[in-house]
Amino acid sequence: IVIVRHPVSVCVPVNHQVTLSVRAEGTGILNYQWFTGDEKEVCGGTEADLTFRAKKIQLYVCRVNDHFCNYVFSDWVKVKVLDIDKSGLPVHWQGEPHIAINPKPQTVRQGTKLSLCCAAFGIPTPHYQWYRNGQPLLDKTSGTLQIDRATAEHGGSYLCSISNVLSERWTEPVDVDIVQIDQLPPAATTATDKVALLIGNLNYSNHPGLMAPIMDVHELANLLQQLGFRVVSLLDLTREEMLAAIDKFIQLLDRGVYGLFYYAGHGYEHAGRNYLVAVDAPQPYRPENCVCVQRIMLSMQERRTALSVILLDTCRKWYNQDCIPSSIMPLGPSGNTVYGYATCEDAEAFEVQDGGKSTGIFTKYLNEHILQSEKVTHVLEKVSEDLGRDPLVTGKQVVEIKHTLKEPRSLADPVRTTGHTRELHQRDACWRQANELPRKTRLMFICGVEVEVSFSALFSNVLVAFATVKTTGRRTQDCTVTLSSIPPMEDIFSGPGRSEEMDSLLFKKSNNPDCTLRLCALQKLTV
């Protein structure tokens, strides 16, 4: 009996279907029996192909025999099972190396251990080859590169080639810095991404309207973008729309991401829970008509963010004391959560006129400090101190800060995506879909008039269309351009005071167009 093809070792995710195959030639009918590493027969493993769901790391071998008492064993093979994230594995994966874990940058003391790790699925099991500064390290051919006593020469750029007979893949390059013991800097805090959701409710159906959220949301969105945040800013949402926006926001969060949620509008507090009032809330409203802030924080923590921040420029008057509070089961202590309240319990938050514009006084001082590269709680402390000195709210409004910050994290921390590019690409695709603007276009009319139409987003659900006459044609004596939408969309910000503030935003973004059209409440459009 001659085995012409031996089985091959594999590395797969938990519960992946594996087929081990052996091919042999001999006289007469050949019989097969597969065994595991503990020399137990595999139940039903009596064919040349053994198919099963991989549950744990296991060794396998196959015995081939004929009716003349001849037998031979195949090579031993290992089925390696990795219980790690497999979300990026292609649906019709053929076994080519798929990198599941990339190495991470390291800063280590001279004379201490250096360890870099990577892992990949593959059928056959992939081969690893580490490189430093582009040169192969001949003795570093496993998923873990380990140097017991690192010296200065071990510093540099590392990456690993992972290959099998089907393909070759490369990990992302990472830097390794070797420093003297007295030179070791404190570990720098970084984010794998930064995402913010800003909601401002002002045009209420059954409650007094507000003025400040327009400018507050717009200015804070611009500042957060300067800090590297992906920002979604929305105005005037119903409860259903708020929940939908929050759900999309939560989906953009992941391990290592900084998540920030900001709300300006009506709100209240009951039994330690904070509630945000949607624009369609009835009078009187109850918890089921509103959105519970603590549920938002719980959802953020479940995504294992590196920093979860909630900033509330809303009242905290005790309300609905006879209602049953929202039932929320807290997570274990994960840390790095921050609440910044515009005011303390059972108190109001005020909006003021500042230089001709309406602003929440909390957000006014928040915007003055938010770009600082300090721990986020220190920034909020400065906001609290400035607000405490403001004579307009002395004795009426005091900032409250609650946090479980266990690391000196700042909203200005840099984004470092090494080892998280797959998740980043997924967020990029979702982000582009939600924020893509219509392209600038030129329209030519029969009379010879050419009009350019362009677009700008004041908020994520408020779009402005600009029309500018570029050429009028020889025979055109008088030309007027107007814009309208189909279906007609009500401009809910056209009331006294609000229109002027919206227009002030338009003038910053436009070069004197001949006509503008404000398209509001885009979240209500359906395809």
Side-chain angles (χ1 to χ4, degrees), residues 121 152 213 320 334 337 371:
F121 305 123
N320 282 332
S334 58
T337 64
L371 293 181

Side-chain angles (χ1 to χ4, degrees), residues 3-21:
I3 294 181
V4 296
R5 193 176 82 191
H6 289 271
V8 296
S9 297
V10 302
C11 182
V12 296
V14 175
N15 291 323
H16 189 81
Q17 182 171 293
V18 172
T19 297
L20 300 179
S21 300

Side-chain angles (χ1 to χ4, degrees), residues 188-255:
T189 53
T190 61
T192 59
D193 203 355
K194 299 195 280 192
V195 181
L197 172 62
L198 281 54
I199 296 178
N201 285 343
L202 56 151
N203 290 298
Y204 284 87
S205 302
N206 303 300
H207 306 280
L210 300 172
M211 300 288 288
I214 292 178
M215 297 301 295
D216 286 350
V217 171
H218 186 266
E219 291 187 1
L220 181 58
N222 287 338
L223 294 171
L224 289 173
Q225 286 171 353
Q226 293 179 44
L227 290 171
F229 276 81
R230 306 170 187 265
V231 180
V232 172
S233 58
L234 300 166
L235 297 182
D236 278 355
L237 301 186
T238 64
R239 181 176 184 274
E240 182 179 349
E241 291 165 351
M242 288 179 71
L243 292 175
I246 291 167
D247 183 60
K248 290 292 186 183
F249 165 65
I250 297 300
Q251 290 178 27
L252 288 172
L253 304 181
D254 210 332
R255 187 188 298 272

